[in-house]
Amino acid sequence: MIRRPPRSTLSSSSAASDVYKRQYQRRVRGELEMGSMDEEEQEAQRLDLLLIERVVIPPHEQHMSDQQKYETMMSLSTLNLDHQRIGSISGLATLHSLVHLSLANNRLRNIHGLDRLANLEVLSLACNQITRVTNLKSLAKLKTLDLSFNLIKELGDPDAGFPTGLCSLQLNGNPLSQLPGYRALIVGKCSELVELDCATVASVERVAARRAIHPPTTSSAEPEGGEQGPDPGADVYGDAMHYASEIMAVQRDSFIERAKMRSGRAKEAGRERKAEMVAVLNESHQVKLELDATIATCAAAACRGGKAALSQAPHGPDTASAATASTD
């Protein structure tokens, strides 16, 4: 059921409708030139209300007015725009009800046009061409972010980065994930992070990340002889990360083992179901053979009974005269 948009949205819908019409005119002119091109050859397109209309509103409802289409799109809570050749974003600022947005497998090079989606909780930008993480800090309700398989090499400026309440983050498949100390860097920037690259963030990783950001200070007291004593926390970071790596390896191996076990059980169940079906088919075939044999036996018996009855019946001239006498 489509929820009715807030009054504040409806009050500005007439102006938005004008923008909608202008976008439609520009889009028609552009698509006339792209109609005969293959998907790989077509240029990247802009994400706007017209593209959303084509994806969201089915063909049998295209007769609706622009106002009705606009109100329908304003009430969207989930929007999937994967594989749409999107290279730029505009027109999403009015989608105040949007909670889940997927823009995976497109042609985005940077993150923009999403900072006003105040209610967004799940965002997927996987498999694009993004090089930097920007314009996401204002998404205060964002909990899940997928930036896997992009071209991110660094996090960028100190002001850029992730929302503070982020719980799940996927950055695997980026050059950044191959750098030494990558997990500690990300965990240090996302204090509420629970999952990173499909692996649970361990407590020891949080300690190591805090120590990396705020390393322990060395004691000002010097031992006799003028030599400074060893720093007791100098190797804590390395030990913690080594321990975290071991835990991650164990968790990964355990996950793979469980996945193999589930796959094995599924295959065994499939084989058992197949064997049961074969047994049922064989049994059905045997019943059919038995029925055919029974029918053949009954037919043969009926045929023999008919022949016997015919052979025992009186016939000839005497039979005819006897029949006439009995009639008189």
Side-chain angles (χ1 to χ4, degrees), residues 207-219 231-237:
V207 175
R210 284 196 294 268
R211 286 183 175 271
I213 297 174
H214 305 290
T217 57
T218 58
S219 176
D231 179 10
D235 296 331
V236 172
Y237 173 74

Side-chain angles (χ1 to χ4, degrees), residues 50-69:
L50 290 172
L51 176 60
I52 297 174
E53 176 204 335
R54 291 192 309 182
V55 175
V56 172
I57 300 179
H60 65 272
E61 294 184 3
Q62 291 293 332
H63 63 277
M64 294 190 303
S65 65
D66 290 347
Q67 181 71 22
Q68 291 174 322
K69 292 178 181 179

Side-chain angles (χ1 to χ4, degrees), residues 279-322:
V280 171
L281 290 174
N282 291 335
E283 184 178 355
S284 301
H285 182 66
Q286 186 64 30
V287 170
K288 181 179 181 299
L289 293 178
E290 293 177 357
L291 287 173
D292 291 343
T294 302
I295 292 171
T297 302
C298 293
C303 183
R304 288 195 298 270
K307 289 181 179 179
L310 290 174
S311 63
Q312 295 176 1
H315 53 81
D318 297 337
T319 304
S321 60

Side-chain angles (χ1 to χ4, degrees), residues 162-282:
F162 308 101
T164 56
L166 197 63
C167 296
S168 176
L169 175 62
Q170 314 303 326
L171 284 169
N172 50 298
N174 285 279
L176 174 66
S177 63
Q178 305 299 321
L179 298 178
Y182 150 73
R183 286 186 67 90
L185 174 64
I186 301 301
V187 173
K189 287 184 174 291
C190 304
S191 58
E192 302 296 327
L193 202 62
V194 176
E195 180 188 71
L196 176 59
D197 296 344
C198 300
T200 303
V201 176
S203 300
V204 66
E205 289 186 277
R206 300 187 189 279
V207 175
R210 284 196 294 268
R211 286 183 175 271
I213 297 174
H214 305 290
T217 57
T218 58
S219 176
S220 58
E222 295 183 358
E224 296 181 0
E227 297 180 359
Q228 189 174 0
D231 179 10
D235 296 331
V236 172
Y237 173 74
D239 294 341
M241 291 307 299
H242 179 70
Y243 178 59
S245 300
E246 291 180 349
I247 292 178
M248 288 173 54
V250 171
Q251 291 177 344
R252 183 186 64 244
D253 295 341
S254 176
F255 175 79
I256 294 174
E257 186 64 26
R258 292 196 303 271
K260 289 181 178 179
M261 292 176 61
R262 288 195 296 269
S263 177
R265 288 196 296 267
K267 290 181 180 179
E268 182 64 26
R271 287 193 291 267
E272 291 178 356
R273 287 194 294 270
K274 182 178 179 181
E276 292 175 357
M277 293 178 63
V278 171
V280 171
L281 290 174
N282 291 335

